[in-house]
Amino acid sequence: MTAKECIQGRRSIRKFTSKPIDHALLEEIIGTVSHVPSWKHTQIARYIAIEGEMKDKIAEECTPDYPKNGEIIKNAPMLIAIAVIKNRCGFERDGSYSTHRGDAWQMFDAGIASQTFCLAAYEHGIGSVIQGIFDDRKAAQLLGLSEDREVVALIPIGYPDEEPAALKRKAVEDLLTYK
């Protein structure tokens, strides 16, 4: 599969079969994703694989503002929580911000890590959807994360039980400007 085929073929999947994700395959995917670029090579992204009762508990307790996300999580055989190490990305060694954007770079890096994970999983036939509407503090508490970590995305994954059509894309002329 070429990069173009991977990017153009991946869809957000919200319905999964019950087939479990092999842990060795997940480790291979994370090995690929470990090459993702990051701010000053800080590598702040962490991937937490969640199954069984804990997955269902997160679905029930962390998605009250958008219950559909909880349903999707429960339907998936595995949930990946994307966490970041706080106060590294966008900072200098003395603790000052490197740019006026402050710590916003950590979300940029988390986004790169999340999408790269989804593309690497797709190459192996695993579907995913990146969720942002959830109680991140409750998720961190349930996962026992230390204060220096923050959950920034939840990604239910599994073998797709649907084939969503590609949505219409904007024309290149609408997306690209030359100056």
CSV table of all heavy atoms in Angstrom, one decimal, residues 3 19 24 29 59-60 73 76 78 80 82 90 94 98 101 112 120 122 127 129 133 135 140 149 157 165 168-169 176:
chain,number,residue,atom,x,y,z
A,3,ALA,N,1.6,5.4,0.4
A,3,ALA,CA,1.2,6.4,1.3
A,3,ALA,C,-0.1,7.1,0.8
A,3,ALA,O,-1.0,7.3,1.6
A,3,ALA,CB,2.3,7.5,1.5
A,19,LYS,N,-13.7,-9.5,16.5
A,19,LYS,CA,-12.3,-10.1,16.4
A,19,LYS,C,-11.3,-9.3,17.2
A,19,LYS,O,-11.2,-8.1,17.0
A,19,LYS,CB,-11.9,-10.2,14.9
A,19,LYS,CG,-10.5,-10.8,14.7
A,19,LYS,CD,-10.2,-10.9,13.2
A,19,LYS,CE,-8.8,-11.4,13.1
A,19,LYS,NZ,-8.4,-11.4,11.6
A,24,ALA,N,0.8,-8.7,19.4
A,24,ALA,CA,2.0,-8.6,18.6
A,24,ALA,C,1.8,-7.7,17.4
A,24,ALA,O,2.7,-6.9,17.1
A,24,ALA,CB,2.4,-10.0,18.1
A,29,ILE,N,2.6,-2.1,15.0
A,29,ILE,CA,2.1,-0.8,14.7
A,29,ILE,C,2.8,0.3,15.5
A,29,ILE,O,3.2,1.3,14.9
A,29,ILE,CB,0.6,-0.8,14.8
A,29,ILE,CG1,-0.1,-1.7,13.8
A,29,ILE,CG2,0.0,0.6,14.7
A,29,ILE,CD1,-1.6,-2.0,14.0
A,59,ALA,N,-15.9,3.9,28.6
A,59,ALA,CA,-17.0,4.2,27.7
A,59,ALA,C,-18.2,4.7,28.6
A,59,ALA,O,-18.9,5.7,28.1
A,59,ALA,CB,-17.5,2.9,27.0
A,60,GLU,N,-18.5,4.1,29.7
A,60,GLU,CA,-19.6,4.5,30.5
A,60,GLU,C,-19.4,5.8,31.3
A,60,GLU,O,-20.3,6.6,31.4
A,60,GLU,CB,-19.9,3.4,31.5
A,60,GLU,CG,-20.4,2.1,30.9
A,60,GLU,CD,-20.4,0.9,31.8
A,60,GLU,OE1,-20.1,1.0,33.0
A,60,GLU,OE2,-20.7,-0.2,31.3
A,73,ILE,N,-17.0,3.0,21.6
A,73,ILE,CA,-15.9,2.4,22.4
A,73,ILE,C,-16.3,1.0,22.9
A,73,ILE,O,-15.6,0.0,22.7
A,73,ILE,CB,-15.6,3.3,23.6
A,73,ILE,CG1,-14.9,4.6,23.2
A,73,ILE,CG2,-14.7,2.5,24.6
A,73,ILE,CD1,-14.8,5.6,24.3
A,76,ALA,N,-16.0,-1.5,20.1
A,76,ALA,CA,-14.7,-1.8,19.6
A,76,ALA,C,-14.0,-2.9,20.5
A,76,ALA,O,-14.2,-2.8,21.7
A,76,ALA,CB,-13.8,-0.6,19.6
A,78,MET,N,-10.9,-2.9,21.2
A,78,MET,CA,-9.8,-2.3,21.9
A,78,MET,C,-9.9,-0.8,21.8
A,78,MET,O,-10.4,-0.2,20.8
A,78,MET,CB,-8.4,-2.7,21.3
A,78,MET,CG,-7.2,-2.2,22.1
A,78,MET,SD,-5.6,-2.7,21.4
A,78,MET,CE,-5.6,-4.4,22.1
A,80,ILE,N,-7.5,2.7,22.3
A,80,ILE,CA,-6.2,3.3,22.5
A,80,ILE,C,-6.4,4.7,23.0
A,80,ILE,O,-7.1,5.5,22.4
A,80,ILE,CB,-5.4,3.4,21.1
A,80,ILE,CG1,-5.3,2.0,20.5
A,80,ILE,CG2,-4.1,4.1,21.4
A,80,ILE,CD1,-4.4,1.0,21.3
A,82,ILE,N,-4.5,8.1,23.7
A,82,ILE,CA,-3.3,8.9,23.4
A,82,ILE,C,-3.1,9.8,24.5
A,82,ILE,O,-3.9,10.7,24.8
A,82,ILE,CB,-3.5,9.6,22.0
A,82,ILE,CG1,-3.8,8.7,20.9
A,82,ILE,CG2,-2.2,10.4,21.8
A,82,ILE,CD1,-2.8,7.8,20.4
A,90,GLY,N,7.2,22.4,23.2
A,90,GLY,CA,7.0,23.9,23.1
A,90,GLY,C,7.8,24.6,24.2
A,90,GLY,O,7.8,25.9,24.3
A,94,ASP,N,15.0,25.6,30.2
A,94,ASP,CA,14.8,26.4,31.4
A,94,ASP,C,13.4,26.5,31.8
A,94,ASP,O,13.0,27.1,32.8
A,94,ASP,CB,15.5,27.7,31.2
A,94,ASP,CG,14.8,28.6,30.2
A,94,ASP,OD1,13.7,28.2,29.6
A,94,ASP,OD2,15.3,29.7,29.9
A,98,SER,N,9.1,28.3,24.0
A,98,SER,CA,10.0,28.6,22.8
A,98,SER,C,9.3,29.6,21.9
A,98,SER,O,10.0,30.3,21.2
A,98,SER,CB,10.2,27.3,22.1
A,98,SER,OG,10.9,26.4,22.9
A,101,ARG,N,3.1,30.5,21.1
A,101,ARG,CA,2.1,29.5,21.1
A,101,ARG,C,2.1,28.7,22.4
A,101,ARG,O,1.2,27.9,22.7
A,101,ARG,CB,2.2,28.6,19.9
A,101,ARG,CG,1.9,29.3,18.6
A,101,ARG,CD,1.9,28.4,17.5
A,101,ARG,NE,2.0,29.0,16.2
A,101,ARG,CZ,1.0,29.5,15.6
A,101,ARG,NH1,-0.2,29.4,16.1
A,101,ARG,NH2,1.1,30.1,14.4
A,112,ILE,N,-0.4,14.6,15.2
A,112,ILE,CA,0.5,13.9,14.3
A,112,ILE,C,0.5,12.4,14.7
A,112,ILE,O,0.4,11.5,13.9
A,112,ILE,CB,1.9,14.5,14.3
A,112,ILE,CG1,1.9,15.9,13.7
A,112,ILE,CG2,2.9,13.6,13.5
A,112,ILE,CD1,3.2,16.6,13.8
A,120,ALA,N,-1.2,3.7,10.2
A,120,ALA,CA,-0.4,2.5,10.4
A,120,ALA,C,-1.3,1.3,10.7
A,120,ALA,O,-1.1,0.2,10.2
A,120,ALA,CB,0.7,2.7,11.5
A,122,TYR,N,-4.5,1.1,9.7
A,122,TYR,CA,-5.2,0.9,8.5
A,122,TYR,C,-4.5,0.0,7.5
A,122,TYR,O,-5.0,-0.8,6.9
A,122,TYR,CB,-5.6,2.3,7.9
A,122,TYR,CG,-6.2,2.1,6.5
A,122,TYR,CD1,-7.6,1.7,6.4
A,122,TYR,CD2,-5.5,2.4,5.3
A,122,TYR,CE1,-8.1,1.5,5.1
A,122,TYR,CE2,-6.1,2.3,4.1
A,122,TYR,CZ,-7.4,1.8,4.0
A,122,TYR,OH,-8.0,1.7,2.8
A,127,GLY,N,-9.5,-0.7,11.6
A,127,GLY,CA,-10.2,0.6,11.5
A,127,GLY,C,-10.1,1.3,12.8
A,127,GLY,O,-9.8,0.8,13.9
A,129,VAL,N,-11.3,5.4,14.8
A,129,VAL,CA,-11.9,6.8,14.8
A,129,VAL,C,-11.3,7.5,16.0
A,129,VAL,O,-11.2,7.0,17.1
A,129,VAL,CB,-13.5,6.7,14.8
A,129,VAL,CG1,-14.0,6.1,16.1
A,129,VAL,CG2,-14.0,8.1,14.7
A,133,ILE,N,-14.4,14.2,22.2
A,133,ILE,CA,-15.4,14.6,23.2
A,133,ILE,C,-15.5,13.5,24.2
A,133,ILE,O,-16.1,12.4,24.0
A,133,ILE,CB,-16.8,14.8,22.5
A,133,ILE,CG1,-16.7,15.8,21.4
A,133,ILE,CG2,-17.8,15.2,23.6
A,133,ILE,CD1,-18.0,16.0,20.6
A,135,ASP,N,-14.4,13.0,28.8
A,135,ASP,CA,-13.8,13.6,30.1
A,135,ASP,C,-12.4,13.1,30.2
A,135,ASP,O,-12.1,12.0,30.7
A,135,ASP,CB,-14.7,13.1,31.2
A,135,ASP,CG,-14.3,13.8,32.6
A,135,ASP,OD1,-13.2,14.3,32.7
A,135,ASP,OD2,-15.2,13.8,33.5
A,140,ALA,N,-7.9,10.0,32.6
A,140,ALA,CA,-6.6,9.9,33.2
A,140,ALA,C,-6.6,9.3,34.6
A,140,ALA,O,-5.8,8.5,35.0
A,140,ALA,CB,-6.0,11.3,33.3
A,149,ARG,N,1.1,13.6,33.0
A,149,ARG,CA,0.5,13.0,31.8
A,149,ARG,C,-0.9,13.6,31.6
A,149,ARG,O,-1.6,13.9,32.5
A,149,ARG,CB,0.4,11.5,31.8
A,149,ARG,CG,1.7,10.8,32.2
A,149,ARG,CD,2.7,10.8,31.0
A,149,ARG,NE,4.0,10.4,31.4
A,149,ARG,CZ,4.6,9.3,31.0
A,149,ARG,NH1,4.0,8.4,30.3
A,149,ARG,NH2,5.8,9.1,31.4
A,157,ILE,N,-10.5,1.0,18.2
A,157,ILE,CA,-9.9,0.3,17.1
A,157,ILE,C,-10.5,-1.1,17.0
A,157,ILE,O,-10.9,-1.7,18.0
A,157,ILE,CB,-8.4,0.3,17.1
A,157,ILE,CG1,-7.8,-0.6,18.2
A,157,ILE,CG2,-7.8,1.7,17.1
A,157,ILE,CD1,-6.3,-0.8,18.2
A,165,ALA,N,-18.5,5.4,2.7
A,165,ALA,CA,-18.1,6.0,1.5
A,165,ALA,C,-17.2,7.2,1.8
A,165,ALA,O,-17.3,7.8,2.8
A,165,ALA,CB,-19.3,6.4,0.7
A,168,LYS,N,-17.1,14.0,0.1
A,168,LYS,CA,-16.6,14.9,-1.0
A,168,LYS,C,-15.5,15.8,-0.3
A,168,LYS,O,-15.6,16.2,0.8
A,168,LYS,CB,-17.8,15.8,-1.4
A,168,LYS,CG,-17.4,16.7,-2.6
A,168,LYS,CD,-18.6,17.5,-3.1
A,168,LYS,CE,-18.1,18.3,-4.4
A,168,LYS,NZ,-18.1,19.7,-4.2
A,169,ARG,N,-14.5,16.0,-1.1
A,169,ARG,CA,-13.3,16.8,-0.7
A,169,ARG,C,-13.3,18.1,-1.4
A,169,ARG,O,-13.8,18.2,-2.5
A,169,ARG,CB,-12.0,16.0,-1.0
A,169,ARG,CG,-11.9,14.7,-0.3
A,169,ARG,CD,-11.9,14.8,1.2
A,169,ARG,NE,-11.6,13.5,1.8
A,169,ARG,CZ,-12.1,13.1,2.9
A,169,ARG,NH1,-13.0,13.8,3.5
A,169,ARG,NH2,-11.8,11.9,3.4
A,176,LEU,N,-5.2,25.3,-1.6
A,176,LEU,CA,-3.8,25.8,-1.8
A,176,LEU,C,-3.8,27.2,-2.3
A,176,LEU,O,-4.5,27.6,-3.3
A,176,LEU,CB,-3.2,24.8,-2.9
A,176,LEU,CG,-1.8,25.1,-3.3
A,176,LEU,CD1,-0.8,25.1,-2.1
A,176,LEU,CD2,-1.3,24.2,-4.4
